[in-house]
Amino acid sequence: PAKYVGWVDTGRCAQEQQLSADPTEVAIERNSAMLLDLLQTALEFDARITSLPLGDYSREQCQHQDVSPGKSCLEMQPGITEIVRNQMRLYVRTISEKYHPVGFHSWEHASHVMESATKIVYMLQSQSQTSITQDSSNSSSDTDHTVKRRNSGSLRLVDTEMADTIYDPWLHFAISFAALLHDVDHRGLPNATLMAEHDPVTEKYGDPKCLSSYAEWNSADIGLNLLLSEQFSELYSLISNQSKFCNTVRNLILCTDIASKPRRDICMRRWDKACTQSGRSSLGTAVTDSTTKQGITKLFSQEAA
């Protein structure tokens, strides 16, 4: 829904649909469609960077990658089946039911944030298709791919122009996924009020390392624990580097606690570490300046933390 319209028109088609349909159902279908589209893009990215002719793999490596004899990794790349589509819809529906009818932090608000975030993601994707092509064509010494060894010990091809940058499709999927979850189970009260009223969630997340971001930790745990449950096993199995994905989603949700000065300070340190270069002070500048992408890496890495 956010892919083929301009920024000013984002959400308007959905508003027209809601005049003649249940707005909750419209939002569930819309949010599911956007997540499935971003997931498909990420899977295609993985398939592209892991594709090697069979002759470039030893038999042991092929077995580790679940590559059948006579097929490349690209041909064996799992896709989005009808089961996965149904699980995504069920997941989004279940999350929608965990939102409360509060004044602001509601399902309607989460859907609005998700569509806006997804629109920005699509803008990044559009930018990456032009800037990366231009950068690759202008460099005679760089290769399109570099072989690296992952922690698992298996050989994979890493696209050095996109992986772990703002153009990484898995980061894009995580951004929209986090937007969907970011206020789930919110009581409509700020964290300071939750603490003053001794809400049970403040005891659960009372550890100093949580920085009093009670509602945000609660939303992240509810959404991610649901994703890890058996009923969504096929959907979860498609996610590349699952621990990194979950950590990224959690960090993105925690960043929404803008009322917490310690949390804001952490986010700004990460931004300065990962994104800031001389003469470039905004993400808008970074997105339009293709030379910046090499400096915008690993937003939630240990180095940036």
Side-chain angles (χ1 to χ4, degrees):
K3 194 170 188 177
Y4 303 108
V5 297
W7 178 259
V8 296
D9 293 321
T10 300
R12 291 188 176 181
C13 293
Q15 291 175 357
E16 293 174 358
Q17 290 176 340
Q18 290 176 5
L19 295 177
S20 59
D22 182 348
T24 299
E25 292 299 318
V26 170
I28 290 171
E29 287 301 315
R30 183 175 69 246
N31 296 344
S32 299
M34 289 188 289
L35 287 173
L36 286 168
D37 183 58
L38 293 175
L39 177 59
Q40 181 64 44
T41 300
L43 291 173
E44 291 171 356
F45 173 72
D46 268 5
R48 191 166 62 250
I49 65 176
T50 59
S51 177
L52 276 179
L54 190 61
D56 292 340
Y57 275 89
S58 68
R59 179 172 296 275
E60 179 182 357
Q61 290 164 346
C62 286
Q63 289 174 348
H64 187 84
Q65 291 278 356
D66 294 327
V67 178
S68 300
K71 290 190 175 183
S72 70
C73 291
L74 179 60
E75 293 171 311
M76 294 300 295
Q77 178 68 30
I80 296 181
T81 64
E82 191 61 30
I83 292 177
V84 172
R85 292 181 182 278
N86 290 336
Q87 287 191 2
M88 180 67 83
R89 293 188 187 97
L90 178 59
Y91 181 85
V92 173
R93 180 179 299 279
T94 304
I95 288 296
S96 74
E97 294 170 351
K98 293 181 181 296
Y99 273 86
H100 303 302
V102 294
F104 181 74
H105 304 87
S106 61
W107 169 244
E108 291 77 11
H109 163 69
S111 297
H112 179 271
V113 171
M114 181 181 170
E115 186 159 6
S116 299
T118 306
K119 180 59 183 177
I120 294 175
V121 161
Y122 283 137
M123 293 166 68
L124 284 170
Q125 289 182 350
S126 176
Q127 173 67 20
S128 70
Q129 293 169 5
T130 57
S131 63
I132 289 176
T133 301
Q134 292 170 352
D135 284 0
S136 298
S137 62
N138 292 336
S139 175
S140 57
S141 60
D142 293 342
T143 56
D144 290 337
H145 302 91
T146 301
V147 177
K148 290 186 178 181
R149 186 174 294 276
R150 295 281 176 110
N151 294 333
S152 62
S154 62
L155 287 175
R156 290 170 62 90
L157 286 177
V158 180
D159 187 332
T160 57
E161 295 289 346
M162 292 177 66
D164 292 328
T165 74
I166 58 170
Y167 301 117
D168 190 327
W170 284 110
L171 173 60
H172 298 166
F173 180 57
I175 289 172
S176 291
F177 201 89
L180 177 77
L181 304 181
H182 81 282
D183 275 337
V184 68
D185 195 40
H186 202 289
R187 324 295 169 79
L189 300 172
N191 286 317
T193 302
L194 294 176
M195 182 172 61
E197 296 182 356
H198 305 289
D199 190 285
V201 76
T202 64
E203 181 178 352
K204 184 176 182 179
Y205 300 105
D207 192 294
K209 71 178 182 181
C210 294
L211 299 179
S212 301
S213 299
Y214 310 118
E216 290 75 19
W217 274 99
N218 185 51
S219 296
D221 280 354
I222 288 175
L224 292 174
N225 288 338
L226 180 65
L227 179 63
L228 269 60
S229 64
E230 181 63 27
Q231 61 180 325
F232 302 110
S233 58
E234 286 83 359
L235 170 60
Y236 185 61
S237 69
L238 291 183
I239 297 175
S240 177
N241 201 334
Q242 295 166 340
S243 61
K244 178 181 178 180
F245 173 82
C246 290
N247 286 335
T248 300
V249 169
R250 180 177 287 107
N251 277 316
L252 286 166
I253 294 173
L254 292 176
C255 286
T256 66
D257 184 13
I258 58 176
S260 168
K261 185 180 185 303
R263 182 70 62 192
R264 292 199 310 272
D265 290 343
I266 289 176
C267 294
M268 291 308 300
R269 286 198 298 270
R270 284 175 171 167
W271 174 266
D272 291 338
K273 182 76 173 180
C275 302
T276 303
Q277 291 187 0
S278 177
R280 303 187 180 105
S281 59
S282 71
L283 181 59
T285 303
V287 171
T288 56
D289 185 350
S290 62
T291 63
T292 308
K293 70 178 185 297
Q294 295 178 358
I296 306 180
T297 58
K298 301 178 182 177
L299 291 173
F300 298 105
S301 65
Q302 290 182 343
E303 295 178 0

